[in-house]
Amino acid sequence: LLLSSNKLKIILINFKPIENLTVLDLSSNEIELIQNTTFYNLKMLKNLDLSNNHIKSIISRSFDSLKILETLIIQNNYLKNLDSNLFHHIKLLSTLDLSSNYLTFIDGNWLKGLFNLENIDLEHNQINEIKSLTFSDLKIVHTLSLNSLGIIR
């Protein structure tokens, strides 16, 4: 379902009638907040694109029902921090793009249990600290992009 470039600000859609949806593109809108029930009925979703919005906050547990999600793109938003358990239930996630946000640190728990994660893009953030063992659970990473960050400790 392609809903890009529609100037959407709030996602109030009940996705129940289209619960077999596998691709959802909400890019290039004006979304500011992702609620914890936004994607609740999308249990078959494999690809979610939230890039180029105005997202400042993603409520904890927002992605919990997306158990077979493989690609999550949240690039070019206004995120400053993320809940440490935000991605824990997305066990099949293989691509995570958080580039071009305002993230300042990487919590060691963000990526815990994401054994299928192959591509991580954190470029163009303001990250000045990456906790030790942050990437220790990642066994098959092919690409880890950390270009244009702040000072890394």
Side-chain angles (χ1 to χ4, degrees), residues 71-82:
T71 301
L72 178 57
I73 303 169
I74 317 174
Q75 102 172 91
N76 199 27
N77 279 284
Y78 297 97
L79 292 170
K80 290 184 179 179
N81 54 50
L82 297 172

Side-chain angles (χ1 to χ4, degrees), residues 4-128:
S4 63
S5 303
N6 280 297
K7 298 188 179 183
L8 297 172
K9 293 185 182 210
I10 301 172
I11 306 170
L12 295 174
I13 300 169
N14 177 353
F15 289 106
K16 183 90 171 130
I18 50 175
E19 60 189 10
N20 289 324
L21 192 68
T22 58
V23 176
L24 179 58
D25 184 347
L26 291 165
S27 65
S28 301
N29 282 291
E30 297 173 7
I31 301 165
E32 292 185 9
L33 174 68
I34 302 296
Q35 297 284 352
N36 61 354
T37 57
T38 302
F39 306 113
Y40 183 74
N41 290 314
L42 297 177
K43 295 176 182 12
M44 301 306 292
L45 200 64
K46 291 188 176 190
N47 296 292
L48 177 58
D49 189 346
L50 297 166
S51 62
N52 303 309
N53 276 287
H54 301 152
I55 300 170
K56 295 176 185 167
S57 181
I58 300 176
I59 304 298
S60 179
R61 307 186 65 100
S62 293
F63 303 125
D64 282 10
S65 65
L66 304 178
K67 302 211 185 294
I68 65 169
L69 191 72
E70 297 171 358
T71 301
L72 178 57
I73 303 169
I74 317 174
Q75 102 172 91
N76 199 27
N77 279 284
Y78 297 97
L79 292 170
K80 290 184 179 179
N81 54 50
L82 297 172
D83 183 83
S84 63
N85 298 316
L86 190 61
F87 307 119
H88 283 198
H89 296 278
I90 317 175
K91 300 295 183 190
L92 297 180
L93 193 65
S94 63
T95 299
L96 176 61
D97 187 345
L98 291 166
S99 63
S100 299
N101 278 285
Y102 294 91
L103 299 172
T104 56
F105 75 99
I106 306 267
D107 185 303
N109 290 317
W110 271 10
L111 307 172
K112 207 157 211 63
L114 299 180
F115 303 113
N116 292 305
L117 203 54
E118 296 178 6
N119 305 297
I120 308 164
D121 193 341
L122 297 167
E123 291 181 349
H124 302 286
N125 275 287
Q126 298 174 359
I127 296 169
N128 56 27

